[in-house]
Amino acid sequence: MTDRPSAPVRVLLVDDDPLVRTGLRLMLRGATDLEVVGEVADGTGVVDAVSRLLPDVVLMDVRMPYLDGIAATRALSARGDGAPAVIVLTTFGDDVNVVAALRAGAAGFLLKHAGPDEIVDAVRRSARGEPVLSPTVTRTLIDRLTTGPVENTRSAEARKRMSTLSRREREVAAAVAEGLANSEIAERLYMSVSSVKVHISSALTRLDLSNRIQLAILAHDAADH
């Protein structure tokens, strides 16, 4: 008996610019394992579209006129385990909004001018539950995020949450906040790469976080400045 082919990854496009949506649709059309199941022009229609179309991945613009991508991402994250993975679409110089979207539960981000191969790969990875953020991107985001002081209330809350982790989990989280790759964390902490992955996964579960960039931001907020 032959294996049945797996169902294609269902993708919802959310952007107020019809040209951007057309471009994304054309890019994704060439991948036989991906299927664009719908398009939405504003964040106000995202929750309803997700309920009707059941996408696995949402490509979400940050800046939209009525309900922005951050609020729409937050609304999807509130759905719990049934929520699709959200990839934020952004432009250069939009780091503050990117971090806000990642705090809201986005799985990662892509530049709007990314190439077709990069976009297709990002959709596939996010559908598998992998964050669409390289360690270099993580380091850049954290560097830009940390140019100003952390609010006292946010810092105190972050320290309280981090205190629920084991010592080893906190050490790994601090290394993630520096933008280190798993192999670099393993070398620094004298651990195997597989152990690093286990500690990151357990920290995410304990803290009810979606991805490693959220862990990095929380660890940064909890650190002394």
Side-chain angles (χ1 to χ4, degrees):
M1 184 175 68
T2 59
D3 294 334
R4 297 177 62 183
S6 58
V9 175
R10 299 169 63 83
V11 184
L12 176 67
L13 307 179
V14 183
D15 198 297
D16 62 327
D17 188 337
L19 291 178
V20 171
R21 297 199 306 271
T22 298
L24 290 170
R25 187 172 63 251
L26 291 174
M27 288 181 190
L28 298 175
R29 182 177 293 169
T32 58
D33 59 333
L34 306 181
E35 178 187 4
V36 176
V37 295
E39 301 179 17
V40 178
D42 188 77
T44 55
V46 170
V47 172
D48 177 67
V50 166
S51 297
R52 289 185 295 104
L53 301 171
L54 302 177
D56 302 300
V57 178
V58 177
L59 291 179
M60 178 89 73
D61 187 21
V62 169
R63 297 178 180 272
M64 292 180 285
Y66 300 106
L67 187 72
D68 63 32
I70 297 169
T73 298
R74 189 176 297 114
L76 289 180
S77 296
R79 296 167 62 94
D81 293 339
V86 176
I87 301 175
V88 175
L89 298 171
T90 185
T91 56
F92 288 105
D94 203 17
D95 304 303
V96 173
N97 280 326
V98 168
V99 171
L102 293 169
R103 287 186 190 277
F109 82 94
L110 282 173
L111 295 175
K112 284 192 173 183
H113 301 300
D117 290 344
E118 185 177 356
I119 291 176
V120 168
D121 180 63
V123 170
R124 288 170 175 157
R125 287 170 54 198
S126 62
R128 296 195 298 264
E130 301 174 15
V132 187
L133 287 164
S134 68
T136 301
V137 169
T138 301
R139 185 180 297 117
T140 300
L141 278 175
I142 293 298
D143 287 346
R144 296 184 182 183
L145 175 67
T146 59
T147 54
V150 178
E151 297 175 8
N152 290 336
T153 53
R154 195 171 84 218
S155 180
E157 177 62 25
R159 286 196 295 272
K160 181 180 178 181
R161 294 182 68 188
M162 291 294 290
S163 69
T164 65
L165 301 182
S166 69
R167 176 183 62 83
R168 209 55 163 163
E169 287 169 342
R170 289 195 298 272
E171 290 174 345
V172 171
V176 170
E178 294 182 38
L180 299 185
N182 288 347
S183 58
E184 295 171 316
I185 297 173
E187 182 177 357
R188 173 184 289 187
L189 299 179
Y190 304 102
M191 305 167 64
S192 67
V193 172
S194 60
S195 293
V196 172
K197 292 179 179 178
V198 168
H199 281 89
I200 291 175
S201 178
S202 62
L204 292 176
T205 300
R206 286 176 186 265
L207 296 169
D208 193 26
L209 299 176
S210 302
N211 54 61
R212 118 188 242 129
I213 188 63
Q214 289 182 318
L215 179 62
I217 293 171
L218 186 69
H220 163 259
D221 288 351
D224 294 328
H225 299 283

